[in-house]
Amino acid sequence: MPEYVQKTTFEECDLLIRNASVIDGTGGPISKADVAVSGDEIVGVGLLSCINAQVEIDATELCLAPGFIDAHTHDDWALLRTPDMRFKVTQGVTTVVVGNCGISAAPFRAQEGLPDPFNVTPEVLSSSFETVTDYRRAINDKAPAINVRLLAGHSALRATVMGPDLARAATGEEINQMAEMLDKALTEGAAGLSSGLDYPAAIAAPMEEVVTLARVLRHHPNTVYTTHVRDEGDGVIEAIKEALATGQRADVPLILSHHKCAGARNFGKSKATLAMIDAARMQGEVALDVYPYTASSSALMERFIGAAKDVLVIWSTPHPECGGRTLNDIAAGWDVSREEACAELKPAGAIYFDMDEQDVQRILRHPAAMIGSDGLPGTEKPHPRLWGTFPRVLGHYARDLKLFSLAKAVQKMTGLTAAKFGLIDRGEISVGKKADLVLFDAEEISDLADFDAPEQPAKGIHYVLVNGQITLSRGRQTRTRAGRFLSSQSQ
Ligand code: ZN
Ligand code: CU
């Protein structure tokens, strides 16, 4: 561990990180440098030996990177319930994008009887905010440890305007109301629109409905349309085609969420989907996010179990005793089919073992692929991606498997993500950028969370700074909570 020296001399900067191996977030080569921070900004990068600082960190043995940006989360509620956000800070994450897959805490009116994915974690229905301003205020009051970028969810808009019966297309009048709500949300600082067309809450929404809403983004700079496509299994090719066409017709930047090819029949299809994405990138802005595991996690749904060789039930409201058991095992014990067991267990959450390692690696390597955890906080025994995603990419995939260089891995969780989500003053180490920083040991870094013990902080993260404030020091989280709501207007 490096030394952490408090000085009393005259300061020219607040904090000086000395002699770090700087990975600046652009994907360029690693270089030795000192980095100076004053207030919430990086004020110097280079040989700064003559500068005095109130606080110095000797980083001789460590890599210094921009704070990691989690491109895909469902942390909307966790930021308020557990504002220390330990499962993210201990990975080096300093900003989370929330409101993914069509569900966002704002703008949203929670109500009884909403279909999946509103059951994806029990907390989704626990609180909601009719306006982005209300959510931003709640965030500011709670002061979470990390920054927040909010997407407005298509299904949240649908539920608010249409009520719980979502198994139909919205009428023209309802689309107008949703467009108005979305426009207001974006004016109040939302960073885009997300959809989750694979779920009952939105599966009946025709492409036209989504295109009309996505077009609202054109009036708001720095915004993006993200989508959990209509089918990630047998229909993945068609679904990617639809998403790409939606982005093109709306003429807005597109991000494909947690890209995957689920089900043994579809293993290898990532060759085709990535080729389609490459072709579309010649016409418009397209990117994707991915998590570094071959298992997915979501609400327990009949629709998803067919593609999985096994399904681990995490929680079940009517059958809490079944948490931690596999669906095969439960169905055998009850002497019913997997489908019947599934119906009996709902509402429930599950982990699906449904992907191929080669597809995961091919997608991770893609130049437009960002790292997003898609973790689901608020349940016992969550998918380990909630605690392990970022260290796993740096340790397992970059260092051990050499899937890409360390600098490239860092770029996929910093510079690339900041560019795609319009975070213009974050994601890179250079003068004038916000001082979201992480110091880690490249030899030591690894994820410890696994399916048996998923709530394990990672190894090798030594310091985390959020907006210039030391949030993790020598591997331990401090009491400081310096996160902010990052609106699309003012950064
Ligand atoms: Zn999703
Ligand atoms: Cu998601």
Side-chain angles (χ1 to χ4, degrees):
M1 287 279 171
E3 275 309 297
Y4 178 73
V5 190
Q6 196 87 31
K7 279 198 173 176
T8 50
T9 50
F10 174 78
E11 80 242 36
E12 286 187 32
C13 70
D14 295 339
L15 185 137
L16 186 60
I17 300 166
R18 283 203 192 275
N19 210 22
S21 297
V22 174
I23 309 175
D24 69 2
T26 65
I30 301 174
S31 58
K32 273 276 174 196
D34 309 319
V35 171
V37 172
S38 274
D40 64 358
E41 253 182 48
I42 297 170
V43 294
V45 180
L47 254 179
L48 307 171
S49 50
C50 55
I51 285 190
N52 288 317
Q54 281 193 325
V55 176
E56 272 192 28
I57 298 172
D58 174 9
T60 306
E61 305 291 322
L62 300 175
C63 291
L64 179 64
F68 306 145
I69 302 166
D70 192 340
H72 188 115
T73 83
H74 297 281
D75 293 343
D76 315 34
W77 297 268
L79 287 156
L80 302 172
R81 186 175 44 78
T82 53
D84 63 357
M85 294 298 285
R86 191 160 163 258
F87 54 93
K88 290 293 156 78
V89 170
T90 53
Q91 294 184 61
V93 170
T94 56
T95 297
V96 287
V97 178
V98 304
N100 279 284
C101 298
I103 40 174
S104 55
F108 176 42
R109 193 183 308 137
Q111 56 207 281
E112 289 286 302
L114 292 179
D116 280 320
F118 291 104
N119 285 313
V120 76
T121 78
E123 61 187 358
V124 172
L125 293 170
S126 67
S127 65
S128 60
F129 300 85
E130 294 224 0
T131 69
V132 170
T133 300
D134 290 343
Y135 182 69
R136 177 209 289 247
R137 239 178 242 142
I139 289 286
N140 288 342
D141 286 351
K142 275 285 175 195
I146 57 177
N147 302 309
V148 195
R149 189 81 158 164
L150 171 77
L151 302 167
H154 169 230
S155 296
L157 294 170
R158 293 190 112 225
T160 306
V161 167
M162 299 164 65
D165 173 23
L166 298 175
R168 62 177 178 88
T171 65
E173 176 46 35
E174 286 164 341
I175 295 176
N176 288 343
Q177 281 181 47
M178 287 193 261
E180 230 167 80
M181 275 178 69
L182 175 60
D183 189 63
K184 182 166 184 283
L186 297 164
T187 304
E188 293 176 1
L193 171 71
S194 80
S195 72
L197 302 174
D198 202 8
Y199 289 106
I203 205 158
M207 180 178 168
E208 207 50 48
E209 176 181 323
V210 184
V211 170
T212 306
L213 291 173
R215 281 195 175 128
V216 175
L217 300 172
R218 288 204 293 213
H219 310 292
H220 298 271
N222 279 333
T223 59
V224 64
Y225 168 56
T226 75
T227 180
H228 173 161
V229 300
R230 212 177 276 278
D231 191 336
E232 296 184 316
D234 294 349
V236 66
I237 302 275
E238 276 308 306
I240 295 290
K241 213 180 268 175
E242 178 191 357
L244 296 172
T246 303
Q248 273 160 10
R249 283 187 49 205
D251 193 19
V252 295
L254 169 73
I255 293 174
L256 301 160
S257 297
H258 43 62
H259 186 40
K260 67 173 73 70
C261 300
R265 281 196 297 271
N266 305 304
F267 290 175
K269 284 191 182 168
S270 62
K271 282 185 206 142
T273 58
L274 293 176
M276 290 161 66
I277 291 166
D278 284 335
R281 288 177 76 211
M282 317 279 267
Q283 327 279 329
E285 227 186 289
V286 182
L288 52 143
D289 64 72
V290 57
Y291 48 82
Y293 296 87
T294 53
S296 61
S297 181
S298 188
L300 180 64
M301 286 168 48
E302 284 90 340
R303 187 174 162 70
F304 293 162
I305 62 179
K309 69 174 184 288
D310 208 353
V311 178
L312 184 65
V313 175
I314 316 174
W315 58 272
S316 159
T317 305
H319 290 281
E321 76 283 1
C322 290
R325 292 177 60 197
T326 68
L327 188 63
N328 290 348
D329 184 38
I330 296 165
W334 290 349
D335 199 18
V336 297
S337 69
R338 300 207 312 173
E339 287 68 22
E340 286 167 318
C342 176
E344 175 66 30
L345 288 161
K346 290 198 318 183
I351 292 170
Y352 302 86
F353 296 90
D354 58 359
M355 283 175 257
D356 178 45
E357 177 67 26
Q358 292 311 312
D359 282 322
V360 171
Q361 293 192 13
R362 191 176 294 118
I363 294 167
L364 279 167
R365 258 198 325 258
H366 190 274
M370 306 174 269
I371 308 304
S373 70
D374 199 15
L376 297 170
T379 59
E380 260 175 60
K381 286 238 176 184
H383 186 304
R385 64 192 180 179
L386 185 66
W387 288 78
T389 290
F390 292 83
R392 181 168 172 81
V393 170
L394 297 170
H396 179 65
Y397 282 109
R399 181 194 56 224
D400 299 345
L401 298 192
K402 303 197 169 26
L403 194 62
F404 29 57
S405 69
L406 191 57
K408 188 72 204 162
V410 166
Q411 186 246 0
K412 287 175 171 293
M413 45 184 86
T414 58
L416 179 63
T417 321
K420 295 302 172 192
F421 282 96
L423 292 158
I424 52 182
D425 56 2
R426 295 177 200 265
E428 275 179 33
I429 297 182
S430 61
V431 172
K433 297 283 182 187
K434 294 293 180 205
D436 289 346
L437 295 166
V438 53
L439 273 162
F440 65 93
D441 184 326
E443 292 305 310
E444 190 188 15
I445 193 156
S446 48
D447 57 307
L448 298 182
D450 59 21
F451 291 95
D452 291 327
E455 298 186 287
Q456 301 289 326
K459 230 174 46 178
I461 304 281
H462 288 226
Y463 288 86
V464 175
L465 270 72
V466 178
N467 294 311
Q469 303 298 308
I470 297 177
T471 305
L472 186 102
S473 172
R474 295 181 175 195
R476 284 179 178 240
Q477 188 158 357
T478 67
R479 286 174 186 276
T480 306
R481 303 207 309 252
R484 296 175 189 162
F485 183 96
L486 306 179
S487 89
S488 50
Q489 274 77 46
S490 62
Q491 296 292 305

